[in-house]
Amino acid sequence: MNDNFSYFITFEGLDGCGKSVQAENLYSRLKEKKIPSLLLHEPGSTPLGEEISKLLKWSDEISLDPLTELFLFNASRAQLVKDVIIPSLRKGMVVIVDRFTDSTLAYQGYGRGIDIEIVEQINSVATRGCHPDLSILLDVPPEEAARRQKPGKDRFEAENAHFYRKVRQGYLQIAEGEPDHWLVIDGTLGVDIVSQIIWESVTNNLGRPGL
Ligand code: TMP
């Protein structure tokens, strides 16, 4: 198929909300339909990003200030946007990213309490004006998200329920502010139902309902 789709989709939500499974399902369905697509995740998806991810998630003995977190997530992002996202969109691919700038707004802004305008400014420097066409929020209550997490918690998964309530409220507020941009889905629905809702929305947005 020669169609040039060039479409940028991000998945967002609390740890344990099920977004990674949904991002993979969407990617597989697009591949089945021979739509040139790429699945990435943040932090990571470049050699530098994977190193930064290890520091951010697993560095128990190194102190990491919220502002340092903000810069590290955006350092990983700056490299990913330049090396992978922009070139892939230029080639006409559908680019799916498991977490992007709204994770930073929700976690470092609403969760850690960094001024939202500062988070937006740093995010926008790192992304060089590259914005998702569609962002998908899988909304689940923090208690349900915590129940679904695997054993062996990283620095973020080890945060308490109060932190996750602030992150969830942040996500809902961000999505409410831009209703045309966001697809908010009840993440407690079954995996197949959620996959179908996402598939219908994405194919509609690509101008090819059901493909
Ligand atoms: P994950 O790779 O399992 O999704 O873990 C990434 C963790 O990092 C997750 O807990 C969310 C957090 N995070 C932020 O706090 N800010 C960010 O900008 C991003 C991308 C992730």
Side-chain angles (χ1 to χ4, degrees):
M1 183 173 302
N2 293 320
D3 305 61
N4 185 329
F5 284 100
S6 178
Y7 200 71
F8 183 15
I9 304 167
T10 58
F11 279 80
E12 295 286 356
L14 303 185
D15 300 275
C17 71
K19 65 180 173 35
S20 302
V21 168
Q22 292 300 336
E24 277 164 27
N25 284 353
L26 174 62
Y27 175 64
S28 301
R29 289 183 87 163
L30 288 167
K31 289 296 243 190
E32 261 168 39
K33 301 285 180 183
K34 310 251 182 307
I35 306 291
S37 321
L38 193 59
L39 175 59
L40 307 166
H41 65 270
E42 278 206 342
S45 291
T46 65
L48 175 79
E50 295 301 331
E51 291 303 314
I52 292 176
S53 175
K54 279 185 226 156
L55 267 176
L56 279 162
K57 288 165 71 175
W58 301 108
S59 65
D60 291 342
E61 282 140 36
I62 302 174
S63 130
L64 278 178
D65 180 78
L67 260 186
T68 313
E69 271 184 9
L70 171 65
F71 283 112
L72 286 176
F73 280 115
N74 273 299
S76 168
R77 179 168 301 137
Q79 201 68 36
L80 181 66
V81 167
K82 172 142 190 293
D83 287 355
V84 189
I85 297 180
I86 290 177
S88 306
L89 290 171
R90 284 202 180 127
K91 280 189 220 153
M93 300 179 84
V94 175
V95 176
I96 303 165
V97 191
D98 183 347
R99 296 197 179 282
F100 198 57
T101 45
D102 294 300
S103 281
T104 325
L105 272 176
Y107 280 74
Q108 279 63 53
Y110 289 89
R112 300 280 195 233
I114 301 178
D115 186 290
I116 296 298
E117 270 184 36
I118 290 177
V119 179
E120 282 173 342
Q121 279 171 17
I122 306 296
N123 280 353
S124 97
V125 174
T127 56
R128 302 157 205 258
C130 183
H131 296 295
D133 297 297
L134 171 70
S135 294
I136 299 169
L137 173 61
L138 289 197
D139 180 49
V140 291
E143 298 73 21
E144 172 65 17
R147 258 197 301 280
R148 295 179 185 182
Q149 282 171 19
K150 298 181 195 98
K153 293 177 190 291
D154 65 34
R155 276 182 66 247
F156 294 94
E157 289 161 345
E159 284 293 340
N160 60 26
H162 178 61
F163 176 81
Y164 274 102
R165 274 196 289 276
K166 289 190 288 185
V167 174
R168 183 194 192 192
Q169 277 318 309
Y171 270 130
L172 291 172
Q173 216 166 304
I174 296 164
E176 263 170 41
E178 265 186 303
D180 294 342
H181 173 78
W182 283 89
L183 172 64
V184 181
I185 305 174
D186 177 352
T188 64
L189 294 170
V191 175
D192 292 345
I193 299 172
V194 174
S195 288
Q196 193 53 30
I197 295 171
I198 292 171
W199 183 245
E200 281 168 19
S201 170
V202 167
T203 54
N204 275 336
N205 285 4
L206 291 174
R208 297 273 301 277
L211 276 169

